[in-house]
């Protein structure tokens, strides 16, 4: 029976850990697990057989780390052998009729641009190559797992969709706060993956069943898809040079029985779980009734980190990134002044916008190329979701492809031709679609006809498998100066969208007053009337005080503003001035915002009155500290941290130029390395950027570094502190060996460790001097080691 005929209709079970088992079977420290597909085929075959025999329905082939970055040679042989051996193991277990071999795709180990150096399309190519090999060799399903970056998840899913017709299952790795490494929340992940059209989603690795319970609970409240849960066997420890986990198989099985009540539909294990764990888990879970997945009704527009739900209260969509009627903005587009465009976005964010509309349509420019660039640049400086606003189908396709999250798309309408052009793109990439209530006959002058068009749009969306939850109807605010009845028709349409269709609505509010004096009076009052009639989203200028006054007052009076928090913040002490967009920022503000160009310009201006060291101490370091504190508190996320670091780097560059010939004070010299056998250097590179910005000199030894190289370098350079990183459980033994050799040959060198698989207990057991959970923790420890006051 095909997997999709069973998924979400009966209990399905995954396999468990691979790396810990291979270590027990002789995988050496730093040895790449996928090489066993060639050198130890009998063991890889046996591993698959044992999991299928234990009852696993879906068993991952040994391809987690297989990609051209790690295996520039023999990649095809490694992938094909992995699928072939897993199929042979399935046959030996007599599970050919009801077992499925999965092509396993793990992280590339690199951050995607703009945070890292891996282009988005290149990531799709890397995954696509593996997908082609695995699909042609006969994989039954693609499992994308242990993902910590929403953008990389999107690349992997697109590669799977564009290079095969196989089912796609995705599991991500959250931290204990329910966040991905790059800041995505549960809401963000669910919205992204459901929008991309995967067949099931869930969570794996990092934590044990107990720690995952609240995160899984939240996923069950949000997702309409079958849910997968594959935890670790508790928390890791190092015993006699091997990784072990602190949870017995009986305890694991008992907790997974509790997990089955949440409800979820597919369970398995990850690090530390063996076929025995899976067998006992299956015995326990099968005692519980199967919970069918149910349709949830949520409408989320997301960025890499922020999820904005439509329908819970009115939402503000900032309208200022649009050339219509804006002479300065047109000039900025013609002159390719991206900094001006970014300033418009940041000003609207400060003023209270929830989503930013992005329209760059001018006949004088390449709209598709410009829209892609602006979307990328905006997403590098703001966490607000974006509304892509264009009628250019090519621009829509290209911008939605590179967008990091689930965007809002403005727009389609009731014309069949338009829906047939746009809906396939929406189906592929996922979006919340603005639908104008007009069709081939033009704009209706009554609410009845507009509601008929809405029903027609719903029906067409059904043909493409697009949820009604992802349609937001534009009730069309037409100017009252030409038709005094138009406001009444629009308000009736909005009310009926809410009451009859149970749908969402949107308006370009200021259109209502065109051609009349004192437009802000009409706009603000019409806005309030529309919200009272059920308006879900308003495209407005959030810098306009009268509009935001109406908005905040409405939310406060309708109990949408809990404890009047937003209202009090805006009005309790002093009246906030209107926020105006500006391309001029202080150095402090530019670093907080992560705008490198502004940081460099502000530094040049600052150097006219202050020396470089004063600028660094008074503005640059305090700004980095504030961003770092926000990161530690969970109010800012990795992308903001990295963009601020890049802005600081730009400022440092200007200061360095001004100090040519002078010697910059170095706080201390530190070695950083990703240990032998591990090519995942994301964490190390993040730490490097932050340490350099705080004045440390970094010797970066790269990734897959043998212990001897680290020790020899520490001795030669007389290094006081070494930072070691590991993502994979199979390479922590290399970390332990490195520490052992340092203790023996360079005992005065301190060692801090970090990485997704590490925790304080694990660090203590392998002899590290400190566990640093993130980049800022490493900065704090380095300051302590070198006696620097914070």
């Amino acid at each position: 029976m095909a997997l999709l005929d069973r998924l979400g209709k009966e209990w399905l079970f995954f396999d468990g850990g691979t790396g810990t088992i291979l270590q027990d079977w002789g995988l050496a420290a730093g040895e790449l697990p996928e090489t066993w597909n060639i050198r130890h085929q009998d063991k890889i075959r046996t591993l698959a057989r044992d999991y299928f025999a234990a009852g696993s329905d879906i068993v991952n082939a040994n391809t987690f780390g297989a990609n051209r970055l790690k295996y520039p040679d023999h990649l095809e042989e490694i992938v094909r052998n992995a699928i072939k051996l897993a199929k042979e193991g399935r046959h030996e277990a007599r599970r050919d009729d009801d077992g499925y071999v999965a092509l396993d795709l793990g992280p590339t180990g690199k951050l995607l641009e703009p945070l890292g150096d891996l282009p988005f399309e290149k990531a799709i190519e890397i995954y696509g190559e593996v997908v082609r090999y695995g699909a042609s060799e006969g994989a039954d399903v693609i499992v994308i797992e242990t993902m910590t970056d929403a953008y990389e998840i999107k690349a992997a899913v697109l590669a799977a969709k564009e290079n095969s017709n196989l089912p796609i299952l995705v599991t991500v790795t959250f931290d204990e706060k329910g966040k991905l490494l790059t800041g995505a929340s549960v809401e963000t992940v669910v919205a992204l993956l459901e929008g991309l059209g995967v067949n099931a989603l869930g969570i794996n690795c990092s934590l044990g069943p107990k720690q995952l319970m609240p995160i899984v609970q939240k996923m069950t409240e949000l997702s309409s898809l079958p849910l997968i849960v594959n935890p670790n066997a508790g928390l890791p420890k190092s015993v006699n040079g091997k990784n072990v986990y602190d949870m017995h198989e009986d305890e694991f099985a008992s907790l997974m029985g509790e997990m089955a009540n949440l409800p979820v539909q597919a369970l398995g294990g990850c690090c530390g779980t063996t076929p025995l764990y899976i067998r006992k888990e299956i015995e326990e879970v099968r005692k519980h009734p199967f919970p069918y997945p149910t349709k949830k009704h949520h409408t989320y527009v997301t960025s890499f980190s922020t999820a904005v739900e439509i329908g819970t209260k009115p939402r503000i969509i900032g309208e200022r990134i649009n050339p219509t009627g804006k002479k300065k903005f047109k000039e900025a587009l013609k002159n390719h002044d991206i900094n001006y465009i970014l300033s418009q976005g940041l000003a609207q964010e400060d003023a209270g916008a929830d989503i930013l509309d992005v329209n760059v349509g001018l006949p004088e420019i390449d709209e598709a190329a410009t829209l892609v660039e602006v979307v990328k640049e905006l997403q590098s400086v703001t966490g607000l979701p974006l509304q892509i606003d264009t009628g250019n189908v090519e621009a829509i396709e290209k911008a939605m492809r590179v967008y990091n999250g689930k965007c809002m798309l403005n727009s389609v309408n009731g014309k069949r031709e338009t829906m047939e052009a746009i809906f396939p793109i929406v189906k592929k990439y996922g979006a919340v679609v603005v639908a104008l209530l007009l069709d081939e006959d033009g704009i209706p002058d009554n609410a009845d006809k507009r509601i008929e068009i809405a029903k027609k749009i719903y029906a067409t969306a059904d043909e493409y498998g697009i949820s009604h939850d992802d349609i937001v109807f534009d009730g069309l605010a037409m100017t009252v100066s030409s038709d005094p009845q138009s406001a009444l028709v629009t308000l009736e349409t909005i009310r009926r969208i809410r009451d009859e269709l149970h749908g969402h609505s949107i308006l370009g509010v200021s259109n209502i007053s065109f051609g009349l004096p004192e437009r802000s009076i009409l706009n603000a009052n019409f806005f309030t009337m529309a919200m009272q009639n059920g308006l879900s989203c308003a495209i407005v200028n959030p810098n306009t005080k009268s509009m935001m006054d109406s908005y905040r007052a409405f939310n406060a009076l309708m109990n949408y503003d809990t404890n009047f928090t937003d209202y009090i913040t805006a009005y309790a002490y002093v009246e906030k001035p209107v926020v105006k967009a500006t391309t001029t920022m202080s150095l402090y503000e530019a670093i907080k915002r992560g705008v490198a160009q502004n940081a460099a310009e502000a530094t040049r201006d600052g150097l006219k009155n202050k020396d470089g060291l004063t600028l660094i101490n008074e503005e640059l370091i305090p700004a980095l500290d504030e961003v770092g504190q926000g990161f530690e508190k969970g109010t800012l996320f990795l992308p903001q941290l990295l963009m601020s670091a890049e802005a600081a780097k730009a400022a440092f560059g200007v200061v360095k130029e001004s100090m040519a010939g002078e010697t910059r004070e170095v706080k201390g010299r530190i070695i950083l390395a990703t240990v032998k056998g591990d090519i995942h250097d994301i964490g190390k590179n993040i730490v490097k950027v932050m340490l350099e910005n705080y004045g440390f000199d970094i010797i970066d030894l790269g990734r897959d570094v043998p212990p001897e190289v680290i020790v020899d370098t520490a001795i030669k350079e007389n290094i006081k502190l070494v930072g070691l990183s590991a993502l994979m459980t199979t390479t922590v033994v290399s970390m332990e060996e490195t520490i052992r050799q340092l203790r023996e040959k360079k005992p005065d060198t301190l060692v801090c460790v970090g990485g997704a698989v590490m925790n304080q207990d694990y660090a203590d057991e392998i002899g590290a001097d400190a566990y640093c959970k993130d980049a800022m923790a490493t900065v704090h420890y380095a300051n302590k080691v070198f006696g620097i006051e914070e």
Side-chain angles (χ1 to χ4, degrees):
M1 184 182 293
L3 175 62
L4 293 184
D5 292 333
R6 300 173 63 191
L7 186 64
K9 302 177 180 66
E10 61 178 277
W11 289 119
L12 289 176
F13 297 96
F14 282 76
D15 59 4
T18 294
T20 45
I21 293 176
L22 294 186
Q23 281 185 319
D24 287 340
W25 289 355
L27 182 72
E31 187 178 5
L32 301 179
E34 295 80 16
T35 61
W36 280 36
N37 299 340
I38 297 174
R39 297 205 301 262
H40 300 291
Q41 296 186 19
D42 55 335
K43 288 185 169 60
I44 298 303
R45 184 186 302 109
T46 298
L47 181 64
R49 181 200 67 196
D50 289 351
Y51 274 123
F52 277 121
S56 297
D57 301 297
I58 301 167
V59 172
N60 288 333
N62 186 32
T63 56
F64 176 81
N67 61 62
R68 72 172 75 154
L69 299 176
K70 195 171 183 178
Y71 298 99
D73 302 313
H74 310 299
L75 176 62
E76 182 173 1
E77 182 182 8
I78 284 170
V79 174
R80 290 188 180 278
N81 277 8
I83 301 297
K84 178 174 67 71
L85 293 169
K87 290 167 68 177
E88 290 173 358
R90 177 180 63 186
H91 181 73
E92 290 182 7
R94 301 181 180 180
R95 294 289 305 279
D96 288 335
D97 294 333
D98 63 351
Y100 308 95
V101 170
L103 175 67
D104 186 10
L105 301 181
T108 61
K110 301 182 75 66
L111 274 176
L112 275 63
E113 293 178 346
L115 305 180
D117 58 0
L118 181 62
F120 181 70
E121 290 295 338
K122 187 72 171 180
I124 295 175
E125 288 179 17
I126 289 169
Y127 282 118
E129 182 180 16
V130 179
V131 170
R132 289 192 296 275
Y133 296 149
S136 64
E137 193 60 39
D140 303 299
V141 59
I142 294 172
V143 172
I144 301 167
E145 63 157 326
T146 323
M147 302 300 280
T148 60
D149 177 6
Y151 208 26
E152 187 171 32
I153 294 170
K154 181 172 181 176
V157 172
L158 290 179
K161 293 174 75 170
E162 293 173 355
N163 292 278
S164 79
N165 294 312
L166 297 176
I168 303 170
L169 317 180
V170 181
T171 56
V172 303
T173 300
F174 288 113
D175 63 20
E176 65 277 3
K177 296 178 182 178
K179 300 287 186 181
L180 298 189
L181 173 69
T182 49
S185 64
V186 175
E187 293 90 342
T188 304
V189 169
V190 170
L192 172 69
L193 292 177
E194 290 194 345
L196 287 170
V198 304
N199 300 104
L201 60 88
I203 187 168
N204 81 292
C205 204
S206 182
L207 303 169
K210 290 179 182 178
Q211 296 85 2
L212 288 186
M213 287 278 188
I215 302 173
V216 175
Q217 175 66 51
K218 193 167 189 178
M219 296 184 87
T220 66
E221 296 167 0
L222 294 170
S223 179
S224 303
L225 294 176
L227 288 174
I228 305 163
V229 183
N230 295 331
N232 290 346
L235 300 176
K237 297 180 179 179
S238 179
V239 177
N240 297 324
K242 291 186 177 181
N243 299 314
V244 298
Y245 286 77
D246 64 2
M247 187 172 289
H248 189 271
E249 57 264 20
D250 290 328
E251 182 186 3
F252 181 83
S254 177
L255 287 169
M256 294 306 285
E258 294 179 27
M259 190 80 74
N261 292 326
L262 285 181
V264 297
Q265 290 74 38
L267 302 100
C270 200
C271 301
T273 58
T274 66
L276 178 59
Y277 280 75
I278 301 304
R279 185 185 300 279
K280 287 182 173 289
E281 175 186 39
I282 293 171
E283 292 172 356
E284 179 61 36
V285 170
R286 288 200 183 280
K287 299 174 184 177
H288 298 259
F290 178 75
Y292 292 90
T294 58
K295 172 65 178 174
K296 312 301 191 307
H297 294 283
H298 298 282
T299 302
Y300 281 105
V301 184
T302 74
S303 66
F304 62 87
S305 64
T306 304
V308 173
E309 186 171 10
I310 294 173
T312 54
K313 70 173 187 177
R315 297 295 184 178
I316 298 293
I317 301 177
E319 68 179 7
R320 300 301 296 170
I321 303 177
N322 189 319
T324 304
K326 302 180 185 72
K327 184 178 179 180
K328 285 186 178 180
F329 196 92
K330 288 181 180 178
E331 290 303 313
L333 285 176
K334 292 177 184 177
N335 297 328
H336 196 250
D337 186 356
I338 299 297
N339 210 43
Y340 178 84
I341 298 172
L342 298 185
S343 72
Q344 296 293 320
L346 293 173
Q348 292 179 99
E349 180 178 16
D350 289 343
D354 298 301
I355 299 168
L356 299 178
D357 182 77
V358 182
N359 184 315
V360 296
L362 277 183
E364 300 96 323
I365 66 173
D366 182 338
E367 182 179 2
T370 303
L371 184 59
V372 166
E373 182 179 11
V374 169
V375 164
K376 287 181 175 180
E377 292 291 338
L378 276 169
Q379 289 205 293
S380 74
V381 299
T382 176
L384 291 187
L386 305 182
Q387 174 174 265
I388 294 171
D389 184 358
T390 177
N392 183 321
V393 176
E394 179 191 6
I396 289 171
E397 168 94 38
K398 290 183 175 180
M400 287 183 65
R401 185 174 181 86
V402 302
Y403 183 78
N404 190 356
K406 182 181 179 183
C407 71
M408 202 165 187
L409 175 63
N410 190 1
S411 55
V412 298
N413 55 50
K415 296 178 182 179
R416 184 80 192 186
E417 179 184 8
T418 301
M419 290 187 283
E420 289 178 348
I422 302 301
F423 278 162
I425 303 174
V426 172
K427 179 62 177 174
K428 180 175 182 179
Y429 297 107
V432 174
V433 184
V434 174
L436 278 63
L437 297 180
L438 59 86
D439 60 11
E440 289 83 356
D441 297 326
I443 300 174
D445 60 4
N446 63 82
D448 287 339
K449 178 61 176 174
R450 294 183 189 185
I451 295 300
E452 286 180 19
I453 295 173
K455 292 177 180 178
K456 179 172 64 173
I457 293 171
Y458 268 162
T460 308
D462 289 340
E463 297 173 15
Y464 289 91
I466 296 170
S467 172
H468 292 192
D469 296 325
D470 285 338
I471 305 291
V472 178
F473 293 113
D474 189 333
L476 302 176
M478 310 303 294
T479 177
V480 291
S481 62
S482 59
D483 179 4
Q485 293 293 315
S486 64
L488 298 176
V489 171
T490 298
L491 292 172
E492 181 185 354
T493 302
I494 295 299
R495 178 187 58 77
R496 290 177 66 181
I497 290 169
R498 177 191 65 189
D499 296 343
E500 296 178 20
L501 302 183
H502 308 293
H504 304 305
S505 58
I506 188 171
L507 289 174
V509 175
S510 61
N511 294 340
I512 204 73
S513 64
F514 186 77
L516 294 171
E518 296 296 337
R519 293 182 63 188
S520 62
I521 298 174
L522 288 173
N523 292 345
N525 282 278
F526 177 66
F527 185 20
T528 300
M529 295 166 72
M531 288 189 288
Q532 186 62 43
N533 279 273
L535 183 66
S536 307
C537 304
I539 303 175
V540 301
N541 179 358
N543 301 320
T544 303
K545 184 178 184 302
S546 59
M547 298 297 282
M548 297 307 290
D549 288 347
S550 295
Y551 177 68
R552 294 189 182 105
F554 180 84
N555 284 337
L557 294 171
M558 293 297 293
N559 197 29
Y560 294 141
D561 184 0
T562 304
N563 297 321
F564 301 95
T565 301
D566 293 340
Y567 188 87
I568 291 171
T569 300
Y571 305 117
Y573 304 108
V574 294
E575 185 173 308
K576 280 191 171 183
V578 174
V579 180
K580 294 183 178 180
T582 175
T583 57
T584 302
M585 292 182 186
S586 68
L587 175 57
Y588 185 89
E589 186 68 16
I591 290 172
K592 279 181 59 182
R593 292 291 197 179
V595 186
Q597 180 178 336
N598 285 40
E601 292 172 356
T603 304
R604 292 188 186 96
D605 288 339
L607 287 170
K608 296 175 183 177
N609 302 308
K610 298 179 180 180
D611 62 78
L613 187 59
T614 301
L615 275 180
I616 289 171
N617 290 333
E618 292 184 356
E619 294 194 56
L620 194 151
I621 295 299
L624 278 177
D625 285 341
E626 183 171 339
V627 173
Q629 290 164 10
F631 177 72
E632 290 172 329
K633 292 175 182 176
T635 57
L636 293 175
F637 304 105
L638 180 62
Q640 289 106 320
L641 184 73
L642 288 180
M643 297 314 296
S644 292
E646 288 300 314
K649 186 184 293 185
F652 270 124
V654 175
V655 171
K656 186 176 180 180
E657 290 176 7
S658 72
M659 298 172 65
E662 299 180 30
T663 302
R664 179 174 71 93
E665 180 184 358
V666 176
K667 292 181 177 179
R669 303 176 72 221
I670 302 171
I671 286 175
L672 293 181
T674 300
V675 297
K676 183 180 178 182
D678 205 321
I679 67 158
H680 301 86
D681 58 359
I682 291 174
K684 172 185 66 65
N685 292 342
I686 294 166
V687 170
K688 177 184 177 182
V689 170
M690 295 307 297
L691 286 171
E692 286 179 336
N693 279 336
Y694 275 86
F696 293 97
D697 186 16
I698 304 303
I699 301 174
D700 184 359
L701 297 181
R703 54 188 183 175
D704 190 18
V705 185
E708 296 76 15
V709 173
I710 297 170
V711 173
D712 289 348
T713 306
I715 294 171
K716 179 181 178 181
E717 302 293 335
N718 193 25
I719 297 299
K720 191 173 184 178
L721 177 61
V722 170
L724 302 177
S725 174
L727 178 73
M728 302 165 62
T729 56
T730 55
T731 59
V732 176
V733 289
S734 295
M735 184 180 282
E736 184 174 20
E737 175 62 18
T738 302
I739 294 172
R740 187 193 67 77
Q741 290 191 26
L742 279 168
R743 293 287 181 263
E744 178 183 333
K745 299 178 180 179
K746 187 80 167 55
D748 60 333
T749 296
L750 299 176
V751 182
C752 62
V753 298
V757 297
M758 298 302 299
N759 56 46
Q760 185 64 59
D761 290 341
Y762 212 171
D764 293 341
E765 287 162 4
I766 65 175
D769 296 288
Y771 162 62
C772 297
K773 66 178 182 178
D774 54 42
M776 287 309 301
T778 311
V779 169
H780 295 323
Y781 183 68
N783 281 336
K784 179 181 177 181
V785 168
F786 289 95
I788 298 163
E789 293 186 7
E790 296 188 336

